[in-house]
Amino acid sequence: MWTFITQLLVTLVLLGFFLVSCQNVMHIVRGSLCFVLKHIHQELDKELGESEGLSDDEETISTRVVRRRVLLKGNALQNIPGEQVTEEHFTDEQGNVVTKKDHTSTPNP
């Protein structure tokens, strides 16, 4: 009986080591595949002339700030807060240009 339990525990430990080894191999294969795909993508960009002047880790970001004020005369004067709109343009991982807009109100003086 004790022999069977000992063999079962040894088998479970060896199975655990095997599973950890498989996970490590899958991690290495995934990293290698990502490296190869990134290299192929860079070569295609060079051939198509799409990545001139930018390295792989750089992003193109531009920001534009727009301020609007409303002026009212006479009795129509109200406390209307100003609005600031920030617009960011950047390129995502797939090469798409993404626009992010942020609206914030500015307090009245």
Side-chain angles (χ1 to χ4, degrees), residues 25-81:
V25 168
M26 292 301 293
H27 181 70
I28 292 169
V29 168
R30 184 175 144 232
S32 299
L33 185 61
C34 287
F35 175 77
V36 169
L37 289 176
K38 188 180 284 189
H39 180 71
I40 290 171
H41 184 73
Q42 287 175 348
E43 292 298 319
L44 285 173
D45 281 348
K46 284 179 187 176
E47 295 225 1
L48 296 174
E50 292 182 359
S51 65
E52 296 174 0
L54 291 177
S55 70
D56 185 43
D57 295 333
E58 293 182 27
E59 291 182 341
T60 303
I61 297 178
S62 62
T63 303
R64 181 176 60 171
V65 176
V66 178
R67 291 180 182 238
R68 295 186 184 118
R69 294 274 183 195
V70 176
L71 299 176
L72 302 173
K73 295 182 180 179
N75 294 334
L77 182 62
Q78 298 176 4
N79 291 331
I80 299 176

Side-chain angles (χ1 to χ4, degrees), residues 3-4 17 19 50 54 67 97-98 103 105-106:
T3 305
F4 176 73
F17 283 129
L19 290 176
E50 292 182 359
L54 291 177
R67 291 180 182 238
V97 176
V98 178
H103 298 273
S105 295
T106 55

Side-chain angles (χ1 to χ4, degrees), residues 77-97:
L77 182 62
Q78 298 176 4
N79 291 331
I80 299 176
E83 181 181 39
Q84 180 176 347
V85 179
T86 304
E87 194 173 284
E88 293 183 36
H89 300 279
F90 61 93
T91 306
D92 65 3
E93 296 165 351
Q94 290 81 25
N96 301 318
V97 176

